[in-house]
């Protein structure tokens, strides 16, 4: 495992799923993790399982974009210069073309792309970033690369995120700040369970996804 000893890393969506797992592993590697999420009780569950120093910062990112920079400054003031960010918070949406609505797509863009821009801007500010540079990671999705039925809006939002990270990586490289995207396939998380609820035959749903993942979910 890599050594993240003493480095401050912000993890959004830290109350469950991929974000929670990222917080666990970053802590085991020695990082001091700033846990961001909207459910304070579930954040406390993550906090109680962290092996290293961490702090909770309750924030509904999609509804309080204007508070993102202030929250990042609070993290810097209480935990020190920020070295890393993992933006794992996000919404999933299954919708056929006939049901697409501007409001639902705007919400997907907001949490996946706009929020990441605001977080990245705040973290990379010279008063907040670690002198050694930093590493910012966005969690995208294979839906942005391969596509799937009913995932046009979700895939478009994640595709925009991938495109943005490519440009930000070039822009910030001279400052020793790295940007990367990770595009997971299906992972067994609470979001996966919500997706299954859309299907009347959940057993067939599960088997169809397992068949597309030879190494398992």
């Amino acid at each position: 495992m890599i050594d993240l000893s003493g480095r401050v890393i912000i993890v959004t969506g830290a109350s469950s799923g991929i974000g929670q797992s990222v917080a666990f592993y970053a802590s085991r590697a020695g990082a001091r993790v700033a846990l961001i999420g909207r459910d304070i009780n579930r954040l406390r569950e993550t906090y109680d399982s962290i092996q290293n120093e961490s702090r909770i910062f309750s924030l509904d990112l999609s509804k309080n974009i204007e508070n993102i920079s202030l929250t990042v400054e609070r993290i810097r003031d209480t935990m020190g210069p920020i070295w890393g960010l993992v933006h794992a918070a996000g919404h999933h949406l299954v919708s056929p073309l006939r049901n697409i609505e501007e409001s639902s797509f705007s919400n997907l863009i907001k949490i996946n792309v706009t929020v990441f821009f605001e977080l990245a801007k705040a973290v990379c500010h010279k008063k907040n970033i670690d002198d050694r540079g930093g590493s910012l990671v966005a969690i995208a999705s294979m839906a942005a690369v391969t596509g799937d039925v009913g995932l046009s809006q979700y895939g478009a939002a994640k595709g925009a995120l991938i495109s943005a990270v490519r440009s930000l990586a070039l822009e910030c490289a001279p400052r020793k700040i790295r940007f990367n995207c990770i595009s997971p396939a299906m992972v067994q998380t609470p979001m996966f369970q919500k997706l299954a609820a859309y299907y009347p035959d959940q057993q067939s749903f599960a088997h169809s996804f397992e068949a597309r993942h030879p190494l398992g979910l």
Side-chain angles (χ1 to χ4, degrees), residues 18 36 53 58 62 64 79 90 99 101 104 116 129 150 181 189 192 217:
I18 292 175
I36 292 182
E53 181 184 350
S58 180
S62 63
N64 297 280
M79 301 184 71
N99 290 341
E101 296 180 353
S104 60
F116 182 71
I129 194 72
C181 246
T189 65
F192 175 80
L217 296 181

Side-chain angles (χ1 to χ4, degrees), residues 2-10 26 29 31-32 34 72 75-76 79-86 123-124 128-137 175-180:
I2 60 174
D3 182 12
L4 299 175
S5 296
R7 302 192 181 197
V8 177
I9 297 179
I10 298 172
R32 301 164 60 220
V72 171
I75 293 171
R76 178 210 63 208
M79 301 184 71
I82 300 163
W83 182 82
L85 165 71
V86 179
V123 168
C124 292
N128 296 326
I129 194 72
D130 195 302
D131 290 338
R132 295 169 289 186
S135 175
L136 288 77
V137 178
R175 298 174 58 199
K176 298 182 180 179
I177 301 174
R178 294 179 290 116
F179 277 80
N180 285 281

Side-chain angles (χ1 to χ4, degrees), residues 41-114:
N41 293 323
R42 289 163 67 188
L43 279 176
R44 287 197 180 103
E45 293 176 6
T46 305
Y47 175 85
D48 291 339
S49 301
I50 291 291
Q51 298 180 359
N52 206 355
E53 181 184 350
S54 64
R55 288 180 181 267
I56 291 173
F57 297 87
S58 180
L59 180 66
D60 189 333
L61 292 165
S62 63
K63 295 181 179 179
N64 297 280
I65 289 181
E66 68 279 2
N67 292 332
I68 288 176
S69 61
L70 293 175
T71 300
V72 171
E73 289 176 12
R74 282 178 54 214
I75 293 171
R76 178 210 63 208
D77 291 341
T78 56
M79 301 184 71
I82 300 163
W83 182 82
L85 165 71
V86 179
H87 182 44
H91 298 318
H92 194 278
L93 179 65
V94 178
S95 175
L97 177 62
R98 64 180 179 275
N99 290 341
I100 289 178
E101 296 180 353
E102 187 276 332
S103 59
S104 60
F105 184 58
S106 293
N107 288 334
L108 281 175
I109 291 294
K110 181 185 295 183
I111 187 63
N112 286 291
V113 185
T114 308

